Amino acid sequence: MDKDNDQIWQRLHPWLTLFHVTGLGPVRYRVLLAAFGSPDAVLSAGVGSLQRLLSGGLARAVAGAATNTAVQTAVAHDKRWLESSSQNTILCLVDDRYPPLLKTIADPPVVLYVKGDPRHLSSQQLAIVGSRKASTTAMEAAYRVATQISAARIIITSGLAKGVDSMAHRGALDQGGHTVAVLATGIDLVYPRAHTQLAEKICQQGALVSEFPLGTQPVPGHFPRRNRIISGLGMGVLVVEAGVASGSLITARYALDQGRDVLAMPGSVSNPGARGCHALIRDGACLVENAEQILEELTSCLARPGRTAVSLETTGVEPSCPEQRHLLECMGFEPCHNDELVLRTGMSSQQVATLLLHMEMDGLVQQTPAGVARKV
């Protein structure tokens, strides 16, 4: 491992050590981070301090994680996986490459395993979801819309499932665009296995991402958790076809909670698989019939008060609001990290992340290995 990679690993090690403590979970993990400030500080805390936030057994497990054989075996497995391919990346919450929009949701993953290009996770995205047992009409619609949205340089995000998800991924790939697949398993597994070749293509033209440890099998409870990431990565969620008791509706509910737009395509009143979409439309989701309407809605949603309009064919390089102008002034002309901008601007980390995302869409800034920088 070279010097740079060694530094990356030294930063990741405490995050992964805490991540692999059995029974801790992401909610308690974030509680500990809020209380102690960093995984290093958590792991250095005494049992007495930890017991103020955790049960006695869990407090002892956290305090002993650095020398726990099972924990350190899992961490060593992560390291081998990370070093096994240049396509493999592990991101923690403070990593500059962690997707800024995902960080703004109520319960962002503490650790993300990525196979492919992690930069795609921070790019402009639309989630397309729908039934695993989709009708031919829905499959064709998902493929067609994904192809057209990809042509507008928007990344397609979905869940690698059969049916609508797979057709959305394939539409983006066939267009020559990019696509992100969020997994409900460890990233070293592909579910369903029939999508192994599809997953390999996604790695080449996008990224696979998972919050679950390596080797995690497909468990029913993991799919709803996965869905909040699908919605959290993008500007909105398009539901192509879904029944009334559908995982796609879970994704749509997450999207609403996260402040994302929910779009739904209507179907035949005789098709039970369309009833979920019809219910969403009755409840206020935007009815869309084609890619043009989807693009109009996405542009409109970003043009609302407090958001920055996105142009699908970006030509301007001027900030469009005082907050963007202030952010650019504080940024200067050298790359810097989000945390630096929070200190310089006095804005919240969420506000900075959201502004930077929209400024990147408009061509004002770009992500570099050294941090975010002006594009012009």
Side-chain angles (χ1 to χ4, degrees), residues 128-129 132 157-161 165 169 180-184 191 226 230:
I128 299 180
V129 297
R132 286 176 169 82
T157 305
S158 198
L160 198 65
D165 288 21
H169 290 306
V180 170
V182 185
L183 310 184
Y191 180 83
R226 177 275 309 268
I230 293 176

Side-chain angles (χ1 to χ4, degrees), residues 98-232:
Y98 191 99
L101 205 54
L102 184 62
K103 194 181 290 188
T104 67
I105 71 173
D107 53 349
V110 177
V111 171
L112 287 174
Y113 295 81
V114 183
K115 191 172 185 65
D117 190 339
R119 293 176 297 181
H120 293 310
L121 303 182
S122 298
S123 298
Q124 187 177 355
Q125 296 172 57
L126 172 70
I128 299 180
V129 297
S131 174
R132 286 176 169 82
K133 298 180 180 179
S135 65
T136 301
T137 300
M139 301 272 276
E140 292 173 348
Y143 181 88
R144 181 176 62 254
V145 166
T147 300
Q148 294 167 340
I149 297 296
S150 290
R153 296 178 297 176
I154 295 175
I155 290 176
I156 301 301
T157 305
S158 198
L160 198 65
K162 294 180 179 179
V164 166
D165 288 21
S166 64
M167 295 306 291
H169 290 306
R170 294 182 195 281
L173 294 170
D174 290 349
Q175 168 62 32
H178 304 297
T179 184
V180 170
V182 185
L183 310 184
T185 64
I187 202 162
D188 53 338
L189 304 177
V190 175
Y191 180 83
R193 290 185 181 179
H195 287 170
T196 298
Q197 289 187 340
L198 176 59
E200 291 173 355
K201 291 180 180 178
I202 291 172
C203 289
Q204 299 301 321
Q205 287 180 228
L208 303 176
V209 59
S210 174
E211 69 171 325
F212 298 105
L214 297 172
T216 300
Q217 298 292 322
V219 176
H222 290 173
F223 290 88
R225 284 181 58 186
R226 177 275 309 268
N227 292 348
R228 86 187 193 288
I229 302 177
I230 293 176
S231 58

Side-chain angles (χ1 to χ4, degrees), residues 122-346:
S122 298
S123 298
Q124 187 177 355
Q125 296 172 57
L126 172 70
I128 299 180
V129 297
S131 174
R132 286 176 169 82
K133 298 180 180 179
S135 65
T136 301
T137 300
M139 301 272 276
E140 292 173 348
Y143 181 88
R144 181 176 62 254
V145 166
T147 300
Q148 294 167 340
I149 297 296
S150 290
R153 296 178 297 176
I154 295 175
I155 290 176
I156 301 301
T157 305
S158 198
L160 198 65
K162 294 180 179 179
V164 166
D165 288 21
S166 64
M167 295 306 291
H169 290 306
R170 294 182 195 281
L173 294 170
D174 290 349
Q175 168 62 32
H178 304 297
T179 184
V180 170
V182 185
L183 310 184
T185 64
I187 202 162
D188 53 338
L189 304 177
V190 175
Y191 180 83
R193 290 185 181 179
H195 287 170
T196 298
Q197 289 187 340
L198 176 59
E200 291 173 355
K201 291 180 180 178
I202 291 172
C203 289
Q204 299 301 321
Q205 287 180 228
L208 303 176
V209 59
S210 174
E211 69 171 325
F212 298 105
L214 297 172
T216 300
Q217 298 292 322
V219 176
H222 290 173
F223 290 88
R225 284 181 58 186
R226 177 275 309 268
N227 292 348
R228 86 187 193 288
I229 302 177
I230 293 176
S231 58
L233 283 168
M235 300 178 291
V237 172
L238 169 66
V239 183
V240 175
E241 183 177 86
V244 290
S246 165
S248 299
L249 298 195
I250 295 175
T251 308
R253 286 195 289 271
Y254 276 127
L256 289 172
D257 291 341
Q258 296 162 352
R260 311 299 196 254
D261 266 28
V262 176
L263 319 174
M265 301 190 80
S268 169
V269 294
S270 302
N271 177 11
R275 291 174 185 167
C277 288
H278 295 164
L280 287 173
I281 293 167
R282 285 197 303 272
D283 291 341
C286 180
L287 186 158
V288 292
E289 299 173 313
N290 52 51
E292 289 76 15
Q293 293 174 354
I294 295 167
L295 293 174
E296 287 174 6
E297 180 61 24
L298 293 178
T299 302
S300 173
C301 85
L302 289 173
R304 293 170 195 158
R307 297 190 180 184
T308 304
V310 59
S311 169
L312 297 173
E313 296 295 334
T314 301
T315 56
V317 292
E318 291 297 322
S320 60
C321 66
E323 290 81 6
Q324 285 192 3
R325 191 171 295 107
H326 178 53
L327 196 58
L328 280 177
E329 290 171 355
C330 293
M331 184 181 299
F333 293 91
E334 297 295 329
C336 61
H337 300 302
N338 288 26
D339 291 343
E340 294 177 57
L341 290 173
V342 170
L343 293 173
R344 294 178 191 177
T345 62

